[in-house]
């Protein structure tokens, strides 16, 4: 995605009544340069940069951050201690760890230590953006997160319980293709096929509605034993890998 800001705003630890409508993000052991590639996602956020210091982090910040992003380990401590402390202080918030070195990259172990997801810089920044975008979309209507779905899972003529979108890469934009309560008829489905479009997008908060719709349709087909559509199978395979 193209960045809307030159850099991520650095506001320190002070509170500002004018920014209460912002989404609060806590960055631990990270600097502006580390998060520069996320600037377009953080445009609606107040980012608070705190050193990786266990004593500083013992007291919860006010306002409470909606998302925590971590980087470097504290001096004279470790990433696992940092994860345990942050999970103790922020029990329900997503806590993402971006490892700056492969030497400390142990996703399974670090998730057990309290992190929601673990990534490796710089190769995983696309995954960082995806997970951060979805986490922010859950706490603010200002942020939209979109999920790809296979067109083969959408039966032409079915009344859909969710909006669908197409992605325009040249403009880096998602535009409405069909709205909730509208079917994608045979002619429109053929138009997509003619343009070699095999994937549409739904908002992430509509994904469960999409899965439910596909599952119910598959169950209604005589003799069909499948309950998962192509999209959900692909997601489960990707998660397993």
């Amino acid at each position: 995605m193209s960045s809307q800001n030159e850099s991520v705003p650095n506001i320190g630890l002070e509170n500002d009544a004018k920014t209460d409508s912002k989404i609060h993000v806590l960055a631990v052991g990270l600097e502006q340069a580390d998060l520069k590639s996320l600037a377009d996602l953080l445009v609606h956020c107040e980012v608070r940069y705190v050193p990786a210091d266990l004593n500083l982090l013992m007291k919860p910040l006010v306002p409470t951050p909606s998302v925590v992003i971590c980087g470097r380990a504290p001096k004279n401590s470790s990433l696992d201690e940092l994860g345990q402390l942050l999970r103790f202080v922020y029990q329900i918030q997503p806590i993402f760890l971006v490892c700056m070195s492969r030497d400390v990259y142990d996703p399974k172990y670090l998730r057990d230590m309290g992190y929601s997801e673990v990534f490796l810089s710089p190769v995983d920044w696309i995954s960082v953006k995806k997970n951060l975008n979805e986490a922010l979309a859950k706490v603010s209507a200002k942020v939209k997160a979109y999920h790809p779905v296979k067109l083969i899972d959408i039966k032409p003529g079915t009344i859909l319980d969710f909006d669908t979108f197409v992605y325009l890469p040249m403009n880096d934009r998602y535009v409405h293709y069909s709205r909730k309560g509208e079917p994608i008829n045979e002619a429109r489905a053929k138009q997509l096929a003619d343009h070699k479009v095999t994937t549409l997008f739904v908002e992430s908060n509509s994904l469960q509605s999409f899965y439910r719709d596909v599952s119910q349709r598959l169950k209604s087909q005589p003799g069909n034993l499948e309950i998962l559509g192509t999209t959900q199978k692909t997601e489960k395979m990707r998660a397993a890998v």
Side-chain angles (χ1 to χ4, degrees):
M1 293 184 180
S2 59
S3 175
Q4 297 178 20
N5 283 358
E6 287 283 326
S7 62
V8 178
N10 186 9
I11 68 162
L13 294 176
E14 66 275 13
N15 292 330
D16 185 343
K18 295 180 181 179
T19 63
D20 284 345
S21 62
K22 294 271 189 174
I23 310 166
H24 296 276
V25 173
L26 171 60
V28 179
L30 291 166
E31 299 175 358
Q32 291 190 41
D34 297 321
L35 299 181
K36 191 170 183 179
S37 65
L38 303 178
D40 56 326
L41 297 181
L42 297 172
V43 68
H44 297 298
C45 302
E46 290 293 346
V47 182
R48 299 180 168 212
Y49 297 90
V50 178
D53 183 314
L54 298 183
N55 291 324
L56 282 177
L57 296 167
M58 279 292 294
K59 184 178 179 181
L61 291 183
V62 179
T64 303
S66 298
V67 180
V68 181
I69 309 176
C70 306
R72 297 164 186 82
K75 288 184 178 180
N76 304 318
S77 187
S78 61
L79 287 175
D80 53 344
E81 289 181 279
L82 176 63
Q84 292 177 72
L85 174 63
L86 287 171
R87 182 51 69 200
F88 175 77
V89 176
Y90 304 108
Q91 298 181 12
I92 62 173
Q93 285 78 5
I95 303 176
F96 300 138
L97 172 63
V98 183
C99 294
M100 299 300 172
S101 168
R102 189 175 291 275
D103 294 340
V104 296
Y105 181 64
D106 188 343
K108 185 179 184 304
Y109 173 73
L110 290 169
R111 282 196 291 267
D112 289 342
M113 293 299 104
Y115 299 103
S116 305
E117 293 293 344
V118 181
F119 309 95
L120 179 64
S121 177
V123 297
D124 283 341
W125 277 109
I126 292 177
S127 295
V128 176
K129 293 183 75 167
K130 177 179 180 294
N131 282 265
L132 176 61
N133 191 41
E134 291 182 350
L136 295 178
K138 290 179 180 178
V139 298
S140 174
K142 294 179 180 178
V143 181
K144 300 294 184 183
Y146 299 92
H147 197 93
V149 298
K150 299 296 184 182
L151 189 58
I152 194 173
D153 285 335
I154 300 177
K155 182 180 179 181
T158 302
I159 301 295
L160 302 178
D161 194 32
F162 43 84
D163 293 3
T164 66
F165 302 79
V166 292
Y167 176 62
L168 305 180
M170 295 294 291
N171 306 92
D172 190 24
R173 288 186 57 206
Y174 294 88
V175 297
H176 259 112
Y177 185 73
S178 68
R179 295 188 180 275
K180 179 178 178 178
E182 294 179 357
I184 298 177
N185 58 33
E186 293 281 358
R188 298 187 76 190
K190 184 178 184 303
Q191 183 184 45
L192 291 172
D194 290 343
H195 286 83
K196 294 181 168 50
V197 175
T198 60
T199 301
L200 291 177
F201 291 82
V202 301
E203 290 187 37
S204 292
N205 57 12
S206 298
L207 193 57
Q208 292 307 313
S209 293
F210 169 78
Y211 287 154
R212 185 169 57 250
D213 179 86
V214 173
S215 179
Q216 289 174 350
R217 178 170 57 81
L218 291 173
K219 288 178 181 177
S220 67
Q221 295 176 1
N224 184 36
L225 300 179
E226 293 284 354
I227 59 171
L228 299 181
T230 302
T231 302
Q232 200 166 6
K233 287 180 183 177
T234 303
E235 288 297 314
K236 286 183 174 293
M237 185 179 298
R238 183 180 292 115
V241 171

